Amino acid sequence: MPSSSSTMQSIGKWMGNNILYSEALASDQRVPSITFSIAGSRYGLLAPSLQFWLALGTCLLLGAIYSTILSCIMYQFIILPRKKKKKKHHHDASSSTTTSLLVGFGFIVPLCVIYPYYGIHFFLIKNKVIKFLFGIASLTTAFRCSEAIFGFLPLHVENSLWNVIVYNAFPVECKFDKQGAIKSTWANVCSYIRNFGASCCVLGMYCSLLVLYDYKLYPTEEGPELRDVSLYNALNWHQLANNFAIAILFQMYLTTFSYAINAVTSLFGLVQIPMMLNPIFESTSLSDFWGRRWNLVVHGFLKRGVYKPVRTKYSRLAAATAAFLASGFFHEWLLSVTLYPDYDSIGECTPPSCFRPGYGRNTLFFVWNAALIGIEYAVSGAAVFKLLKTHLPLTIISLLVTCTALPVAHWFTNDYVRTDFFHDGQLGWPIIVRLDE
């Protein structure tokens, strides 16, 4: 008679292979839909993998179920006690209770930290983009729990349990008014689907170029470990070119995935905030880049879950530094989830999943940007910067802003490039590949 553990393993393996397509998405097995020749070389067009998007949708559903359970706990033991305390004593809603601190930081947040590892192992997930999404669901719930503890949830979210559930259910933040979640229209649905389709095609073309170079335009000299970090290498123009290419790729990835989530949730009658607002080419300052354009979902929960609680007692610079440090730490954790190793049938980890990330580099990258924000706070009012903003074209200003982080961007992107993360992700796009290699 099989043991309960072996039964659970069999269930996880079946669900992983038949619902999350763990084995099918472990590598790119697509066959070209169309083949053609250019200058004597043969190329093929690979259509997007339906299994890839079904797996992402399943991850989104699993994350919503998981977040719903935690939302009920959050509402009962964190939000309601704080609201009752506020009503009784008529003081600031941001005050937290002992119970909320214990439940939030003693149970919900630790659970969010460990859950993705067990989920990935249970379902035997191998595709690194799917692993990444597993981590995102827990990540957003953990920081939104911090928002709830300190009383900085978005306006109207804590009006009802249903609002809290909807708010936590999806990685991208939903919009609310006094009546609850703002309802989407068919115009919203069509707009999201149109944006997603266009973004998929553009991203596919861009990946078709980068995949020819294995996502590295030039060979890099810097090693993968924290001790290999070199500011001298940061000024190498080959490294700068690589960093710029991957920065654009990350922006396109986040934009496309957010459109996909927007499209799905709009079909359920929900409207969400935009995730990316073209930061690389439209930012007017560092604060504009990080605070109003780059990954507004992360910005939102860092602002409400870290910056505002710290700001109630400390300076703006201290709060901004705390937010950037928190960003560095959770990106280190997310990297460990994304590169969590898969094991074969005899329990051995085989390449390329056995990649050891260069822990510490992500944090160092965000410390660098926190220092730059501090400098901006100090000198942004100078006449020379006002003059530049007035007379330079927006694109030039944006590229100058981007260049402040560009020399060290590989501290953040290096581990994703050195593994097969982007090869796993390209399953979702229509790409052109060279066949006669």
Side-chain angles (χ1 to χ4, degrees), residues 71-364:
S71 294
C72 293
I73 299 172
M74 197 184 303
Y75 188 76
Q76 183 65 38
F77 294 100
I78 297 176
I79 296 174
L80 283 182
R82 179 169 44 75
K83 290 173 72 174
K84 290 176 181 178
K85 188 176 179 182
K86 177 194 175 186
K87 186 176 181 181
K88 183 177 180 180
H89 298 286
H90 304 286
H91 59 51
D92 186 10
S94 65
S95 61
S96 54
T97 66
T98 302
T99 301
S100 68
L101 291 170
L102 288 173
V103 172
F105 292 125
F107 175 69
I108 294 178
V109 172
L111 185 63
C112 289
V113 170
I114 64 174
Y115 160 74
Y117 301 108
Y118 285 97
I120 289 168
H121 184 71
F122 180 73
F123 294 116
L124 302 178
I125 297 173
K126 296 182 179 180
N127 185 287
K128 291 179 175 56
V129 173
I130 307 295
K131 293 180 183 179
F132 184 88
L133 189 59
F134 246 85
I136 291 297
S138 274
L139 176 70
T140 54
T141 302
F143 277 95
R144 287 167 183 173
C145 179
S146 178
E147 296 174 17
I149 290 171
F150 295 107
F152 290 113
L153 286 166
L155 191 62
H156 307 303
V157 167
E158 62 181 39
N159 288 358
S160 69
L161 173 60
W162 177 248
N163 284 6
V164 175
I165 290 173
V166 171
Y167 176 61
N168 286 322
F170 304 102
V172 182
E173 181 183 325
C174 294
K175 295 182 178 181
F176 294 85
D177 59 18
K178 292 181 179 179
Q179 284 71 45
I182 296 176
K183 305 299 182 184
S184 66
T185 64
W186 281 110
N188 296 134
V189 175
C190 294
S191 176
Y192 288 142
I193 293 176
R194 183 172 60 250
N195 289 339
F196 170 66
S199 188
C200 263
C201 293
V202 173
L203 180 52
M205 289 188 289
Y206 191 59
C207 287
S208 298
L209 294 174
L210 290 184
V211 75
L212 295 174
Y213 303 94
D214 196 25
Y215 293 95
K216 295 185 289 289
L217 297 180
Y218 298 98
T220 54
E221 299 174 1
E222 187 170 289
E225 302 294 336
L226 180 60
R227 63 175 178 268
D228 298 321
V229 165
S230 167
L231 288 177
Y232 173 79
N233 186 57
L235 300 177
N236 182 307
W237 75 273
H238 283 180
Q239 187 68 71
L240 290 172
N242 286 345
N243 290 354
F244 188 63
I246 298 303
I248 293 174
L249 183 62
F250 260 108
Q251 175 172 311
M252 295 174 73
Y253 256 68
L254 292 173
T255 301
T256 305
F257 280 123
S258 69
Y259 284 149
I261 296 173
N262 292 157
V264 171
T265 53
S266 67
L267 290 171
F268 290 93
L270 301 171
V271 177
Q272 296 179 318
I273 67 167
M275 189 173 187
M276 302 285 279
L277 293 176
N278 198 15
I280 292 178
F281 298 105
E282 293 187 14
S283 297
T284 58
S285 67
L286 281 169
S287 298
D288 186 45
F289 183 98
W290 292 111
R292 292 180 286 275
R293 293 188 175 277
W294 182 272
N295 203 338
L296 298 183
V297 173
V298 170
H299 166 74
F301 66 60
L302 283 175
K303 181 178 180 179
R304 294 184 295 266
V306 179
Y307 180 89
K308 285 187 174 182
V310 174
R311 186 70 180 94
T312 57
K313 295 185 178 181
Y314 299 98
S315 69
R316 182 174 67 159
L317 180 58
T321 302
F324 273 104
L325 282 174
S327 182
F329 294 151
F330 87 66
H331 277 98
E332 302 280 4
W333 169 83
L334 188 58
L335 191 64
S336 74
V337 171
T338 304
L339 302 182
Y340 186 67
D342 350 299
Y343 294 90
D344 61 23
S345 57
I346 58 174
E348 293 184 358
C349 185
T350 53
S353 62
C354 281
F355 176 81
R356 184 177 181 274
Y359 292 121
R361 295 165 66 101
N362 276 221
T363 302
L364 190 60

